[in-house]
Amino acid sequence: DVELADSVSMAMLLVMETLTPTERAVFVLRDVFDLGYEEIAEAVEKSPAAVRQIAHRARAHVAARRPRGVVSRTETQNALDAFQRAVETGDLQGLLDILSPDVVLMGDGGGIKQAVLRPVVGADKVARLLVGGLIRVAAPSMGPAQVNAYPALILRLDGELDTVITLRIDDGLITGLYAVRNPEKLSRMERETALRR
């Protein structure tokens, strides 16, 4: 159950999004479904030797970006508070101070609400996007929460749930942000869902 939960965690999704489409396909087919290199090579139209290299590179990338350990409650709260304060005030330097240099921001609008279409990588790009309006649109009210065991901010516009941003924190810095605006997913925010196989 722990492995299943980890395999669908935000952290793993963020790491997977930083792989190229071919690396992601090879990694999933090899490391999750345990397919042979020859089979994968056929599927991705590469040689088996190339697929071995891609698998090795993807595995190393995933291992390097996995969470490094358990983050203390105090460290989590400090990072969440600093992030919220910087976003609410539009403090670009405050965001740069709390974001990891290789932070990844992903968005999910479900094709209904505006969201970033591709992962945004790098503290400068993410901070400028946040300060430039991704979160500060119409001065939403924000509140801290815990979502899927991750620290999060709940953003409301005119009292209505608009966005949920979950944060991944490593070594006191935010390494991943996942902004959900998809109304289908947000409709489930008020109730807990049990993880089932």
Side-chain angles (χ1 to χ4, degrees):
D1 287 342
V2 170
E3 287 177 343
L4 176 62
D6 184 53
S7 72
V8 297
S9 72
M10 182 191 81
M12 190 61 175
L13 290 174
L14 288 168
V15 170
M16 294 295 286
E17 283 293 329
T18 63
L19 298 175
T20 67
T22 302
E23 287 174 332
R24 193 167 37 247
V26 169
F27 179 81
V28 169
L29 292 172
R30 180 69 187 158
D31 288 27
V32 177
F33 294 108
D34 201 27
L35 292 181
Y37 291 113
E38 292 75 23
E39 250 183 308
I40 298 169
E42 236 179 89
V44 297
E45 299 176 345
K46 305 259 185 216
S47 71
V51 168
R52 276 188 184 80
Q53 283 288 40
I54 293 167
H56 175 75
R57 194 170 52 241
R59 215 174 283 118
H61 184 83
V62 168
R65 298 206 50 152
R66 280 197 178 203
R68 291 176 271 292
V70 177
V71 180
S72 76
R73 191 170 251 158
T74 302
E75 193 175 34
T76 298
Q77 191 60 52
N78 290 343
L80 182 61
D81 291 346
F83 178 73
Q84 182 174 353
R85 196 171 36 255
V87 168
E88 286 177 333
T89 62
D91 179 5
L92 182 63
Q93 188 58 53
L95 278 171
L96 290 171
D97 291 343
I98 195 64
L99 296 175
S100 169
D102 59 352
V103 64
V104 178
L105 166 69
M106 292 187 340
D108 178 0
I112 299 166
K113 294 271 196 146
Q114 185 177 358
V116 293
L117 300 177
R118 289 188 205 106
V120 178
V121 180
D124 190 59
K125 288 180 184 175
V126 170
R128 290 185 189 288
L129 182 63
L130 293 171
V131 169
L134 182 69
I135 293 180
R136 298 186 72 220
V137 175
S141 66
M142 284 182 220
Q146 189 87 341
V147 176
N148 294 333
Y150 284 92
L153 284 180
I154 306 282
L155 284 70
R156 296 185 184 276
L157 288 175
D158 300 321
E160 295 294 317
L161 181 61
D162 181 75
T163 308
V164 173
I165 302 173
T166 54
L167 289 73
R168 174 181 159 194
I169 300 165
D170 291 304
D171 298 329
L173 296 176
I174 297 169
T175 58
L177 297 161
Y178 185 47
V180 178
R181 300 194 72 219
N182 183 340
E184 166 95 7
K185 291 181 181 174
L186 293 179
S187 70
R188 300 180 187 145
M189 272 300 295
E190 304 302 325
R191 64 181 197 266
E192 283 191 32
T193 305
L195 184 62
R196 293 193 180 100
R197 291 180 214 206

